Amino acid sequence: MLPFRFVDRVKFLLERQLVKGAGFQLLVVGVFIFLISLIGGLLVMPLGEPFGNMGEAVWWAFLRLTDPGYLGDDVGEWQRLVSTLLTISGYVVFMGTLVAILTRWLIAKMADLERGLTPVTLRNHIVVLGWTSQTLPLLSELLGASGRMRRFLEKHETRRLSLVVLSQDASAGQAHELRIEPGIGNKARQIILRSGLAIQPDALQRVACLEAAAVIVPSAAHQAGSLVTSDVETVKALLSIAAQARHRKTALPYVVAEIQDIRKLPVIERAYPGAVEVVAGDATISRLMVQNILHPGLSEIYNELLTAGYGNEIYVRGGETLAGMTLAEVAAQRPKVIVLGLLKARDTGWDIRLPAPSASVIESSDRVIILAREYSETEPDGKAPGLSEISRGEPVSRPPAQGEQVHRVLVLGWNRRVPSLIGEFASYHQKQFEVEVVSVVPAKERQQEIDRYLGDQQRVVCRHVEADYMVEGELRRVGPLNYDSIVLLSSDRLASGEEADARAMVGYLQLEDILSEGSRRPQLIMELSDPDNRDLLTGSQSEMMIGPMIISHVLAQVALRRELRVVLDELFTAGGAEIQFRSPDNYSLPASVSFQLLEKALAAEGEIALGVYRHQPDASGRHLQLNPPRQTWLDLLPGDRLVSLCWSG
């Protein structure tokens, strides 16, 4: 083997120093400057005057090396030659290399700052772990919840809301997305981006999770078959937060976590010993879809209740200022809201009473559930005339009318929610469903996922067809007109939500051509994954559900008011309190009725009137009239239905 050359050794030594960063690079440049100055001083020392000693000669060389302006002061050919060489070396070493090192260091430092690697020094802020399709609507929900947010800030003794988002790669592009997002805009300065993954303990420290008032963990999409799912990342993040709290001996923050598989709930509770609320994203969307199949038109109610800044929302008020009053008295003092029920405190959580009798007396530890457009409307209105008290007794079980025949459902497409959707169909024992799933995903793979999710508890007949609904001939062979309901799913196997929604919308337009040929039109429900696409099919005859917007609203509102999860779970699950459509013929109503009279008529049956669902849409395409003014005359027409909150048993 040949021995290493001296030049190679020098190059290797320089390389090892230069890769250590800007400090070592500057040190190497300083050594070179010293050596060049020393050599220049040695070359001019023999000239004698004006160089009295070696120090003065080296200083002379250093000045020529660092400042070209001294070049004209030299006399003599040799002195000028050495001075010229020193000046040229100065341009290369001092000016060029030094400026390059400092510029690269500054650019790298700015890039690090833009990537968000600096730990935040905040307290009582809200942390969002992950940049997903739900992040932007989630942030809009948090920034738009004015009344609820004000109470949240007062509770944590802070004046200004600060949001910290942990993204895998924080960038200027994401900051631009924040600024152009409706509902955020100029409020983007309240949002801080930090780089990292939720499964990295140092990234969790970077966003100061332990100092946060609330930590929200939305669910991210993963490729099919991936061993690391979003639920795995969520559990790892919660374990890391708990470990950091034990190490620092501090209290655990309040966490709102979304999981895809509801069966992971016990795992989440074991992983995190602190205050945690779990939102089952897939199960929630599946519940809404099945309820919408059972009650066509229900999507308009959910889209209104679960979207901030649009129509009515559900609020929960503390009972401290209402103690001793009845629900009827509370409703009479607030003419713009509908009082729905109560939450009673118990050892392990809350006992929900929805709908509750109007004579129920409120205790200081209770929570009052109210439907209103603004949080300010839940305060007593001293200017408006009060309402007469409505008497409503114990709710009577009123299960929705179900036909004896089998309900046939056609599912076009495949995503991770289909197994939970089949499981939700199976939870309705009073109704029999037959489901046919059409997708390009192999039927064997689909059935394996359903079997893995449901096990042996499969009550629903589920058949699989391997076909592409984007091909008109294959879609016609399926026979969409032979089904009672059609669900068009947004795929989670494409690169982005935009691509998945584009495929779903093209499939919808193609499906409309086939459905227009029949005399009987089945119910059509379309799922979208990108909120920006919600207005592209305005005026369509399908009912539309935007999963990320619904889940974002639930996550944001539960983060601000923990008790809301109990209310939403009660409304969105089979049995118990349900929102149903009722025929006006079931009640003793005059031909023309105000909403206040409608409330009294339904209260006599133990129900709560929420509004009217019109058979014919208005100019904007809406059928729903929720929580109208009390004195509004509704003028019910044939086909109109009443929106009622009742007890389904």
Side-chain angles (χ1 to χ4, degrees):
M1 181 179 294
L2 296 175
F4 292 112
R5 295 185 302 171
F6 175 75
V7 175
D8 292 334
R9 292 179 180 274
V10 173
K11 288 181 178 179
F12 179 73
L13 179 62
L14 287 175
E15 177 200 339
R16 300 311 301 164
Q17 301 306 313
L18 292 176
V19 297
K20 291 181 180 179
F24 285 92
Q25 292 170 0
L26 292 174
L27 180 61
V28 171
V29 171
V31 171
F32 270 102
I33 292 174
F34 173 75
L35 291 177
I36 295 173
S37 300
L38 180 61
I39 294 172
L42 292 174
L43 291 176
V44 297
M45 269 298 295
L47 297 178
E49 290 295 335
F51 309 108
N53 52 52
M54 186 62 187
E56 292 183 1
V58 172
W59 178 249
W60 174 88
F62 176 76
L63 292 177
R64 269 68 184 168
L65 180 69
T66 57
D67 189 356
Y70 287 100
L71 186 62
D73 297 338
D74 299 316
V75 295
E77 295 180 358
W78 178 249
Q79 189 175 349
R80 288 174 178 174
L81 175 62
V82 173
S83 179
T84 301
L85 294 175
L86 288 172
T87 301
I88 294 174
S89 300
Y91 276 116
V92 175
V93 178
F94 186 80
M95 297 289 291
T97 307
L98 188 62
V99 171
I101 292 173
L102 292 175
T103 302
R104 288 188 57 188
W105 172 81
L106 184 59
I107 292 174
K109 185 60 65 176
M110 293 297 293
D112 286 341
L113 293 175
E114 289 180 355
R115 288 173 57 198
L117 298 177
T118 306
V120 300
T121 56
L122 298 173
R123 297 188 66 85
N124 295 325
H125 55 294
I126 296 179
V127 175
V128 179
L129 297 181
W131 184 280
T132 68
S133 60
Q134 298 168 195
T135 303
L136 290 177
L138 173 60
L139 297 174
S140 298
E141 292 276 355
L142 290 170
L143 293 171
S146 57
R148 197 168 283 155
M149 180 59 70
R150 183 174 63 253
R151 294 187 68 253
F152 178 85
L153 296 177
E154 291 174 354
K155 177 181 177 181
H156 293 90
E157 298 179 351
T158 182
R159 295 182 179 179
R160 181 180 177 84
L161 170 66
S162 295
L163 299 171
V164 181
V165 180
L166 182 66
S167 172
Q168 182 174 355
D169 294 302
S171 63
Q174 292 176 341
H176 177 68
E177 289 185 54
L178 292 173
R179 289 192 294 270
I180 64 175
E181 176 69 14
I184 298 180
N186 295 331
K187 297 179 182 178
R189 59 180 178 271
Q190 297 177 234
I191 303 172
I192 302 171
L193 295 175
R194 285 295 177 265
S195 292
L197 296 173
I199 59 176
Q200 299 171 336
D202 59 331
L204 298 178
Q205 293 180 351
R206 193 173 299 139
V207 296
C209 279
L210 295 183
E211 287 74 27
V215 178
I216 303 176
V217 190
S219 181
H222 285 267
Q223 293 183 351
S226 175
L227 296 178
V228 180
T229 64
S230 179
D231 291 350
V232 172
E233 291 188 354
T234 299
V235 172
K236 174 61 167 57
L238 296 181
L239 288 172
S240 298
I241 296 174
Q244 291 177 15
R246 286 195 302 269
H247 177 71
R248 293 173 51 180
K249 297 181 180 179
T250 60
L252 287 166
Y254 167 51
V255 173
V256 180
E258 178 194 358
I259 59 174
Q260 297 175 354
D261 189 350
I262 187 61
R263 297 169 300 174
K264 297 292 191 301
L265 178 58
V267 178
I268 297 290
E269 293 175 344
R270 284 196 297 269
Y272 194 74
V276 58
E277 292 291 343
V278 179
V279 176
D282 290 352
T284 298
I285 299 301
S286 298
R287 291 166 184 168
L288 297 184
M289 282 187 175
V290 175
Q291 287 201 17
N292 205 77
I293 289 174
L294 294 174
H295 311 291
L298 211 56
S299 61
E300 279 200 39
I301 297 177
Y302 293 145
N303 288 334
E304 177 167 341
L305 295 181
L306 301 179
T307 304
Y310 173 71
N312 292 268
E313 293 185 52
I314 298 175
Y315 295 93
V316 176
R317 291 290 308 242
E320 299 84 2
T321 59
L322 305 174
M325 299 178 64
T326 64
L327 293 183
E329 292 171 344
V330 172
Q333 296 177 3
R334 294 158 176 81
K336 296 182 180 180
V337 309
I338 300 176
V339 178
L340 304 179
L342 281 174
L343 287 171
K344 291 284 187 180
R346 61 185 183 187
D347 295 338
T348 58
W350 297 94
D351 179 21
I352 186 167
R353 300 181 183 180
L354 190 71
S358 58
S360 301
V361 179
I362 303 170
E363 300 178 3
S364 59
S365 60
D366 292 344
R367 302 289 185 268
V368 183
I369 308 169
I370 299 175
L371 179 71
R373 293 179 182 81
E374 300 287 345
Y375 183 81
S376 59
E377 294 179 353
T378 64
E379 299 284 353
D381 192 345
K383 298 180 180 179
L387 301 175
S388 59
E389 295 185 12
I390 295 178
S391 176
R392 181 176 57 253
E394 290 287 342
V396 179
S397 179
R398 297 183 183 277
Q402 304 291 350
E404 296 293 334
Q405 64 181 14
V406 175
H407 194 99
R408 302 191 66 206
V409 181
L410 175 63
V411 177
L412 299 179
W414 178 267
N415 58 32
R416 68 173 189 266
R417 279 189 283 276
V418 175
S420 66
L421 181 63
I422 302 299
E424 191 64 24
F425 280 126
S427 68
Y428 286 81
H429 300 282
Q430 75 278 12
K431 185 75 174 179
Q432 186 176 355
F433 294 93
E434 286 186 4
V435 181
E436 190 156 316
V437 183
V438 178
S439 172
V440 295
V441 178
K444 183 178 180 181
E445 179 182 338
R446 287 181 262 160
Q447 190 60 49
Q448 285 177 346
E449 291 193 31
I450 293 175
D451 293 340
R452 192 180 299 117
Y453 187 89
L454 295 179
D456 298 330
Q457 302 176 358
Q458 297 189 25
R459 296 182 54 259
V460 177
V461 177
C462 184
R463 291 183 290 268
H464 298 278
V465 177
E466 291 189 24
D468 187 356
Y469 66 81
M470 295 287 288
V471 180
E472 183 178 357
E474 297 186 11
L475 183 58
R476 286 186 178 275
R477 281 193 291 272
V478 173
L481 289 168
N482 298 323
Y483 294 87
D484 301 300
S485 301
I486 301 175
V487 180
L488 189 56
L489 298 177
S490 179
S491 174
D492 56 3
R493 299 191 172 216
L494 297 178
S496 64
E498 291 86 349
E499 294 179 4
D501 288 355
R503 179 179 171 86
M505 288 187 288
V506 172
Y508 161 75
L509 295 174
Q510 186 169 261
L511 183 62
E512 280 291 347
D513 290 338
I514 299 176
L515 297 181
S516 63
E517 299 172 1
S519 58
R520 171 185 169 275
R521 178 185 175 86
Q523 177 194 18
L524 179 56
I525 302 173
M526 181 167 56
E527 177 198 22
L528 296 179
S529 59
D530 187 355
D532 293 335
N533 296 326
R534 59 185 179 271
D535 297 325
L536 297 183
L537 292 177
T538 301
S540 68
Q541 299 184 54
S542 71
E543 298 186 59
M544 196 176 301
M545 297 185 64
I546 305 171
M549 289 188 65
I550 293 175
I551 299 302
S552 297
H553 179 89
V554 174
L555 290 173
Q557 301 307 318
V558 172
L560 298 177
R561 190 71 177 185
R562 184 177 180 181
E563 300 89 339
L564 266 174
R565 188 192 65 81
V566 182
V567 180
L568 298 178
D569 283 350
E570 175 70 16
L571 290 175
F572 297 160
T573 52
E578 281 190 0
I579 299 175
Q580 297 182 7
F581 295 116
R582 297 286 187 180
S583 171
D585 298 335
N586 295 341
Y587 308 92
S588 300
L589 296 173
S592 184
V593 59
S594 67
F595 183 63
Q596 188 172 10
L597 293 177
L598 184 63
E599 278 189 308
K600 293 180 178 180
L602 269 66
E605 304 295 332
E607 304 175 21
I608 297 178
L610 301 180
V612 178
Y613 190 87
R614 300 291 187 181
H615 178 65
Q616 295 295 331
D618 58 17
S620 61
R622 283 183 51 80
H623 297 265
L624 182 64
Q625 191 177 1
L626 201 63
N627 188 20
R630 292 299 193 282
Q631 303 304 323
T632 299
W633 291 95
L634 300 176
D635 296 327
L636 299 176
L637 302 174
D640 291 349
R641 291 177 290 170
L642 308 181
V643 184
S644 167
L645 178 65
C646 56
W647 182 259
S648 64

